[in-house]
Amino acid sequence: MIGKGILCFSLAGIMTMTADASQTRSEVVSAGTQTAAVSSGARSARGDQIRDIELRQIKGMICYLGGKPDHAPILQKAGKKFEIDPLFLAAVTYVESSFRHRARSGKGACGLMQLRPIITKAFGVTDPWDPHQNIMGGAAYLRSCFQRYSKHSNSTFLALAAYNIGPGPVKKLNDSQAAKRFVKKVLRVYNRFTDEPIRLSSR
């Protein structure tokens, strides 16, 4: 589900468990006139369970696509920090590099998420070949693209297009055939692994 100007994807299964966790947190146990809240230990255990399920889903997706499961914890961390579904980040990473951390494009883009020199500098990536730095930098850049085009009805398309060919006027992004191909590839991959497929809105 994509709201206008919002990028906070979530897995349907994780959402269900998160809702359960929220309900658990709000529940209280009455004992006479006293009320006891659910212990912090129980909340922590539930949170760990949710993270473990999410991590298994990310690893499953990466392995299915031919990547290394070692990248899953990094994608999970980046997703949490930048409020992007880690499966969405994994889809972008796959389309950009097929999970090859030593990938380099003809235009000098490097690493898993194919960061250009101007992006590595802007987001403090000192070693684009390091998977952790590359994914965190790529996620930060993608988040900035979503924020930049958040007021547009087709913000998802524009953000992905900007990630691929660089930010610019809306008309340029809408008209770019290269950007259109990139966006279609990312969403085709992402929609295979989520219960909440993304359908792009019209301009």
Side-chain angles (χ1 to χ4, degrees), residues 3-8 81-84 123 139-152 154-156 158-160 162-163 167 170:
K4 183 176 180 181
I6 297 176
L7 174 67
C8 191
K81 181 174 182 179
F82 298 105
E83 298 182 303
I84 303 174
F123 291 93
Y141 175 42
L142 182 57
R143 164 53 67 184
S144 73
C145 290
F146 269 94
Q147 291 174 333
R148 178 168 183 160
Y149 299 102
S150 62
K151 294 182 180 180
H152 297 273
N154 63 336
S155 60
T156 300
L158 294 174
L160 283 172
Y163 185 94
V170 170

Side-chain angles (χ1 to χ4, degrees), residues 3-195:
K4 183 176 180 181
I6 297 176
L7 174 67
C8 191
F9 302 115
S10 56
L11 306 171
I14 299 302
M15 285 290 288
T16 300
M17 295 197 67
T18 303
D20 292 342
S22 297
Q23 182 178 359
T24 301
R25 285 194 292 270
S26 64
E27 289 177 350
V28 292
V29 181
S30 298
T33 58
Q34 295 182 345
T35 308
V38 175
S39 71
S40 59
R43 293 197 301 269
S44 177
R46 180 59 65 89
D48 290 343
Q49 183 182 16
I50 292 171
R51 284 190 292 274
D52 288 345
I53 292 173
E54 182 184 59
L55 187 59
R56 286 199 297 271
Q57 289 180 308
I58 303 167
K59 286 182 177 180
M61 176 183 180
I62 293 174
C63 291
Y64 183 86
L65 294 171
K68 296 181 179 180
D70 295 351
H71 299 142
I74 309 173
L75 288 163
Q76 185 180 44
K77 180 180 178 181
K80 181 178 180 180
K81 181 174 182 179
F82 298 105
E83 298 182 303
I84 303 174
D85 184 348
L87 294 187
F88 191 84
L89 291 176
V92 173
T93 305
Y94 173 73
V95 173
E96 286 286 4
S97 70
S98 296
F99 298 113
R100 292 179 293 117
H101 76 280
R102 300 298 298 182
R104 181 195 289 271
S105 76
K107 295 184 178 180
C110 300
L112 287 163
M113 297 193 75
Q114 289 292 278
L115 306 184
R116 299 186 303 278
I118 190 172
I119 300 302
T120 59
K121 182 177 180 180
F123 291 93
V125 177
T126 58
D127 181 5
W129 306 116
D130 175 67
H132 184 273
Q133 286 196 45
N134 193 285
I135 290 173
M136 296 303 288
Y141 175 42
L142 182 57
R143 164 53 67 184
S144 73
C145 290
F146 269 94
Q147 291 174 333
R148 178 168 183 160
Y149 299 102
S150 62
K151 294 182 180 180
H152 297 273
S153 61
N154 63 336
S155 60
T156 300
F157 172 85
L158 294 174
L160 283 172
Y163 185 94
N164 181 239
I165 67 171
V170 170
K171 186 178 187 309
K172 175 186 175 182
L173 297 174
N174 279 328
D175 293 343
S176 170
Q177 294 303 312
K180 289 177 181 178
R181 288 191 295 271
F182 175 77
V183 173
K184 286 182 180 179
K185 288 178 182 178
V186 170
L187 296 187
R188 188 181 301 122
V189 173
Y190 177 69
N191 288 343
R192 288 170 62 188
F193 295 93
T194 181
D195 293 327

